[in-house]
Amino acid sequence: MKYLYDRPKPSYLHNSRSILFLLLFLSTAIHAQTYYVKPGASGTGASWGTAGDLETMINGAAAGSQVWVAAGTYIPNAYPTGSTGGASNRDFAFTLKTGVAIYGGFAGTETLLTQRNYTTHVTILSGDVGTVGTYTDDCYHVVIAGNTTSTAILDGFTIEYGYANGGAGQLNYSAVQFTRNFGGGIYTLASYPTINNCTFFTNTAVDGGGVYNTSTATAPVFTGCTFTSNKATSATLGDGGGAAYDYNGSTSSFVTCTFTSNTSAADGGAFIAVNGGTVSMTGCSLTSNTATGSGGAIYTSAGTTSSVTNCTFTSNKANSTTVGGGAVYNNSTNGFSAVGCSFTSNTATFYGGGIYNQSGSSQSSMTNCTFTTNKAQYGGGMAAVGGSNQNLTNCTFASNIGLTAGGGFYINSGSYTISLCTFNNNVANAITGMGGAGMCMDNNSAGNVLRCLIKGNVATGDGGGQYDNSSNVIDSNCVFQANVASNGSGGGLYINNNNPQALNCVFVDNSASANGGGIYLTNSNGLLINSTLYNNSAASGAGVYLNSGNFKLYNDIAWNNTPDGVINTGTGTVNYSDIQGTVTFPGTLNIRVNPNFYNAGSYTGPDGKWRTGDDGLELKYGLSPAADVGTNVAGRYTHYDITDTVRPIGAGVDMGAYESSALLLPGQLYSLTATANGSGANTIRWVVDAAAQPLLYTVQKSTDGQDFATLGTITASDLQTTYVFTDAQAGSGVVYYRLQLTGTDNSIKYSPDVVVRSNGSIGRLALQPSVTGGESTNLLIAGVSTRIKISLVLTDALGRLQMEKTTWAEQGDNTVLLNIAGLSRGIYYIQVNGENGFYKVIPLEKL
């Protein structure tokens, strides 16, 4: 016992702060609890009144604990506990800890986590340890995480003024080494912390200005975070990442994050991922980020698997003069996918204003995406070069500019499948030669273009709608409308030196200043089968101009083109076709008779949609000389027409893009209506011509006007002209209905859509209470007749928006809790809106 009392005191007991920490640690190490922090405080952290120092509280917190941090600015003042290699105060850093959640955004009086407001009570972790405003002596990393799991949480902070420019030196912490060049804001190494509601502002690093993630197979997750004005200074190509950098197999996930005005002196203005790993972004916004090299917003390469979902890319820029990717650059063998994203006003100096996929990228896919007003030398909307494989589905390319070629889309030496896409009002500005304002397929690329609309695109040179150069393209069931080659040939389609096919396509209102208003071909062999060319114009060959090559036409219609239908100066043949004009050409069984279209003045018919059963360029059944006189020759089958109606095999095929039938046409469908009957059901009623009916009427329903499901089927009767069908489970909101008409030959047509907009009724609305000094109030929505979507808009007395909320009210009585903790004293108004418009305004007074 004497020895115990007489031995020297450990050196750490001479420091009062260390004594405080030791006592705190011994008393709480095995107890999860909440610790309270305020700027400049040095208490035990047991309450707001005894708030402590941030680093001390983190170090003393046991797994399962929370650290609540009041508003203010916090600067690290020590090396991370247990670290080695610290050389100066620039190695000071806050640390994340497995099992410990650190929350900012408190006023310093709260008793519940839900009471904090990190937007109002800004809580800053700053690396400004040196001279104020002199960034080069700031901390290398404001926050570090070594070997932590997802239970290490940082939530509700602004992280600023990290400056990772320390060369190859390292800080050793938690059995890993942090290089001083990376991750000015946060550096995660072999870690996957959870980062929520944080702002990364004005951090700088050689790589990964805001965040640097490395050596983690499990994803660090960033949710609701903002990255603004962060910078990567490396000028080495393949490095950068102004906001964030993933390296060495790292996996990361960004959810509802915002990336704005971040910059890279090399690649990846906002984000870069290299050397494997998996990256995903969901619901993120990337705006005005810039790379001196490639990937104005995102750069991925070297085996990285990357995906973006429901993200927006706006006004990002890549300045490379040889590569590109205004918004996204991808050079990964594992590919890149985008779903539901928009790319707007992004710019690349060379390739791909919106997206650029370079050689080495394998399967890349874009689904339900929009590309608008993007610009590049090649591929204003998107470009792919060097053997990549592209899949585009249901995408829209509008008003993009290719300064040389490919206003909407450009591909060189790759493969592709482009389906259900729209290319509208894009521009290719090459003065002469290769253009392709909608699409440009160049240099040994090959693929399929399916069910696309190519409309209103303008090329200064050749190929207003599409330009195929040494590329084997199959265009199927596509519409080329009102495209222009203003200083060249091929208003709709220009084909050079390849073996293309165009099947079941429509070319209308296209024009060329030289030759081939609809199609121009040179040095090419290939097939044009069951296509319609109408009202196109050019100096010569307004429908088709075959300059050289052995191109064959089967079952086509070229009518009302100015000044002529088909010009053939090559060795091509025309068979089983209806060609207006006096020019003769090799071939058999052709006619020169008005094809008698159903309604040539209304291409899309009453529903306003191409490729549906009411299109005006269908042949009048039983009245067209071009019906049933073509043939499906072996090896040249088109089993379906442009509307996916079945064609016969062998003889009896219609010329042109449409296979006519005896099915009910819109002129014989006198009316189709759908109305709500007030009890949650809708009634669908149609009146027809008794003399011309299909075999079956199938009623179909949709909530978005795109995807329809079958409700029921009624067999037609020769004696019946009026039909009624009831949708007993219609519900509320917007509902679309249409008829599927099935013929005796099993061919199918569709009626135009009709729409019902209905709301459930509400018995009473009230606030409980409507005058309150509390943190919340309840909105009573009583007597709801059927489930209904409600939107709530809260404004102050001057009409300024304070809150928006959307919810569902179920049948019966409902109570909606409204959190008004952030409102100041005064009068407010809650406007209640239903799916069909305005319901009521209710006043609220906050005491």
Side-chain angles (χ1 to χ4, degrees):
M1 296 296 294
K2 181 178 180 180
Y3 171 79
L4 292 176
Y5 283 106
D6 291 347
R7 67 181 179 180
K9 296 179 181 179
S11 60
Y12 60 76
L13 293 181
H14 292 286
N15 183 290
S16 60
R17 181 176 171 188
S18 297
I19 294 173
L20 174 63
F21 167 71
L22 179 63
L23 292 174
L24 179 64
F25 178 80
L26 292 174
S27 64
T28 63
I30 61 172
H31 300 291
Q33 66 181 75
T34 299
Y35 298 89
Y36 301 85
V37 174
K38 287 185 176 180
S42 58
T44 63
S47 67
W48 285 120
T50 59
D53 169 74
L54 177 57
E55 289 167 294
T56 303
M57 297 303 104
I58 295 173
N59 289 332
S65 296
Q66 295 183 0
V67 179
W68 291 12
V69 186
T73 299
Y74 299 83
I75 298 173
N77 54 24
Y79 302 132
T81 300
S83 67
T84 60
S88 70
N89 62 355
R90 296 196 67 192
D91 280 316
F92 292 173
F94 296 109
T95 58
L96 301 185
K97 188 174 179 181
T98 294
V100 177
I102 309 169
Y103 294 99
F106 293 90
T109 58
E110 294 85 352
T111 59
L112 297 173
L113 182 62
T114 55
Q115 294 172 339
R116 71 176 180 140
N117 188 326
Y118 50 81
T119 301
T120 301
H121 306 302
V122 178
T123 311
I124 299 172
L125 305 181
S126 174
D128 199 1
V129 296
T131 304
V132 175
T134 305
Y135 303 145
T136 55
D137 59 2
D138 290 345
C139 288
Y140 295 123
H141 329 290
V142 180
V143 179
I144 61 174
N147 282 313
T148 64
T149 71
S150 60
T151 61
I153 299 172
L154 189 69
D155 189 320
F157 290 90
T158 293
I159 300 159
E160 64 183 24
Y161 298 139
Y163 202 98
N165 69 333
Q170 295 175 329
L171 177 75
N172 305 308
Y173 171 73
S174 192
V176 288
Q177 297 177 326
F178 292 84
T179 303
R180 297 184 178 110
N181 268 348
F182 309 138
I186 288 183
Y187 190 159
T188 75
L189 204 168
S191 298
Y192 50 102
T194 301
I195 314 296
N196 298 332
N197 307 312
C198 288
T199 295
F200 296 83
F201 176 70
T202 319
N203 299 285
T204 302
V206 174
D207 290 317
V211 174
Y212 188 86
N213 303 312
T214 185
S215 304
T216 173
T218 304
V221 179
F222 297 80
T223 302
C225 293
T226 298
F227 299 81
T228 304
S229 300
N230 302 284
K231 181 188 298 184
T233 61
S234 173
T236 302
L237 295 182
D239 284 341
Y245 192 123
D246 274 13
Y247 180 68
N248 195 26
S250 286
T251 294
S252 66
S253 176
F254 297 86
V255 181
T256 60
C257 292
T258 300
F259 299 80
T260 306
S261 300
N262 303 285
T263 59
S264 170
D267 300 319
F271 177 81
I272 187 170
V274 299
N275 199 27
T278 301
V279 179
S280 67
M281 289 188 180
T282 304
C284 294
S285 173
L286 300 96
T287 305
S288 299
N289 303 286
T290 304
T292 300
S294 296
I298 294 176
Y299 178 105
T300 66
S301 69
T304 301
T305 301
S306 52
S307 63
V308 291
T309 304
N310 298 330
C311 294
T312 61
F313 296 81
T314 308
S315 300
N316 302 287
K317 188 173 185 179
N319 289 316
S320 170
T321 57
T322 57
V323 194
V328 174
Y329 168 90
N330 172 52
N331 188 24
S332 170
T333 55
N334 288 357
F336 170 83
S337 69
V339 178
C341 296
S342 65
F343 299 83
T344 306
S345 299
N346 303 285
T347 303
T349 302
F350 206 63
Y351 286 122
I355 295 176
Y356 176 46
N357 289 314
Q358 198 177 11
S359 59
S361 59
S362 57
Q363 189 80 6
S364 298
S365 65
M366 273 53 68
T367 305
N368 300 331
C369 294
T370 60
F371 297 79
T372 309
T373 61
N374 304 285
K375 182 191 299 185
Q377 199 75 27
Y378 294 88
M382 177 179 170
V385 172
S388 57
N389 182 10
Q390 310 300 312
N391 285 297
L392 281 68
T393 304
N394 200 34
C395 294
T396 297
F397 293 77
S399 302
N400 302 285
I401 298 175
L403 295 174
T404 296
F409 175 79
Y410 175 86
I411 187 166
N412 184 311
S413 302
S415 61
Y416 50 87
T417 299
I418 304 173
S419 60
L420 297 169
C421 293
T422 298
F423 296 83
N424 186 32
N425 295 333
N426 301 285
V427 174
N429 276 335
I431 296 176
T432 59
M434 184 170 61
M439 291 177 278
C440 182
M441 285 67 171
D442 192 17
N443 190 26
N444 297 315
S445 61
N448 295 278
V449 180
L450 311 169
R451 299 175 176 84
C452 292
L453 174 61
I454 303 100
K455 180 180 179 180
N457 304 284
V458 179
T460 306
D462 298 322
Q466 179 178 317
Y467 188 107
D468 302 340
N469 180 51
S470 300
S471 301
N472 295 325
V473 186
I474 300 176
D475 291 287
S476 300
N477 297 50
C478 293
V479 175
F480 293 78
Q481 181 179 10
N483 302 287
V484 178
S486 63
N487 191 37
S489 297
L493 174 61
Y494 184 101
I495 299 169
N496 175 52
N497 193 30
N498 55 14
N499 298 295
Q501 295 184 47
L503 316 174
N504 296 320
C505 292
V506 169
F507 296 82
V508 296
D509 299 340
N510 303 286
S511 64
S513 64
N515 301 318
I519 303 173
Y520 179 89
L521 303 101
T522 185
N523 302 317
S524 298
N525 303 324
L527 300 171
L528 179 68
I529 302 177
N530 275 110
S531 294
T532 298
L533 302 107
Y534 181 82
N535 206 43
N536 303 285
S537 62
S540 183
V544 178
Y545 191 102
L546 176 57
N547 182 53
S548 59
N550 187 21
F551 194 78
K552 296 179 173 62
L553 281 69
Y554 288 90
N555 305 328
D556 299 303
I557 297 175
W559 203 260
N560 203 46
N561 301 286
T562 304
D564 43 33
V566 174
I567 294 295
N568 180 12
T569 63
T571 59
T573 58
V574 181
N575 303 277
Y576 308 102
S577 296
D578 187 2
I579 309 297
Q580 184 180 21
T582 59
V583 178
T584 59
F585 29 75
T588 60
L589 300 175
N590 298 298
I591 61 175
R592 299 177 184 276
V593 184
N594 189 327
N596 204 3
F597 294 119
Y598 166 66
N599 184 1
S602 178
Y603 297 144
T604 59
D607 67 356
K609 300 177 183 177
W610 276 106
R611 301 188 306 103
T612 59
D614 66 344
D615 287 5
L617 292 179
E618 180 175 336
L619 303 178
K620 286 184 179 178
Y621 181 78
L623 299 175
S624 172
D628 301 331
V629 294
T631 183
N632 259 329
V633 180
R636 304 187 182 100
Y637 293 133
T638 58
H639 294 281
Y640 301 91
D641 79 346
I642 193 171
T643 68
D644 295 322
T645 296
V646 176
R647 289 192 190 276
I649 298 300
V653 174
D654 286 357
M655 296 175 178
Y658 296 86
E659 190 69 25
S660 64
S661 73
L663 285 180
L664 189 66
L665 294 172
Q668 298 158 316
L669 180 65
Y670 297 140
S671 67
L672 172 64
T673 60
T675 56
N677 63 22
S679 61
N682 292 335
T683 299
I684 301 94
R685 180 188 301 270
W686 61 100
V687 180
V688 300
D689 183 341
Q693 296 197 56
L695 176 66
L696 298 173
Y697 296 104
T698 301
V699 181
Q700 296 185 330
K701 175 182 177 180
S702 171
T703 57
D704 61 7
Q706 299 293 324
D707 298 319
F708 283 83
T710 295
L711 295 180
T713 299
I714 295 177
T715 302
S717 170
D718 291 341
L719 303 177
Q720 188 174 355
T721 60
T722 301
Y723 296 84
V724 177
F725 184 93
T726 299
D727 178 9
Q729 304 296 323
S732 60
V734 179
V735 182
Y736 301 80
Y737 296 98
R738 73 181 183 189
L739 296 179
Q740 176 183 291
L741 313 170
T742 305
T744 56
D745 60 353
N746 292 320
S747 57
I748 291 173
K749 288 185 180 294
Y750 295 96
S751 73
D753 302 344
V754 290
V755 183
V756 178
R757 293 177 174 84
S758 60
N759 280 323
S761 61
I762 294 177
R764 184 165 67 94
L765 291 168
L767 281 175
Q768 299 174 333
S770 60
V771 179
T772 179
E775 304 298 327
S776 63
T777 185
N778 288 309
L779 174 65
L780 175 66
I781 308 175
V784 178
S785 64
T786 187
R787 188 171 189 259
I788 183 172
K789 193 174 184 179
I790 297 290
S791 65
L792 309 174
V793 179
L794 187 145
T795 59
D796 61 17
L798 297 177
R800 295 173 296 193
L801 179 66
Q802 305 294 315
M803 180 194 304
E804 288 184 290
K805 184 180 182 71
T806 300
T807 187
W808 285 93
E810 305 295 337
Q811 185 175 14
D813 295 343
N814 300 258
T815 301
V816 179
L817 180 66
L818 299 178
N819 185 352
I820 58 173
L823 299 183
S824 304
R825 295 174 59 187
I827 301 296
Y828 297 87
Y829 298 93
I830 298 178
Q831 177 178 317
V832 182
N833 301 312
E835 292 163 319
N836 205 28
F838 168 75
Y839 273 138
K840 187 176 182 181
V841 172
I842 307 172
L844 166 69
E845 182 176 2
K846 175 75 181 294
L847 299 178

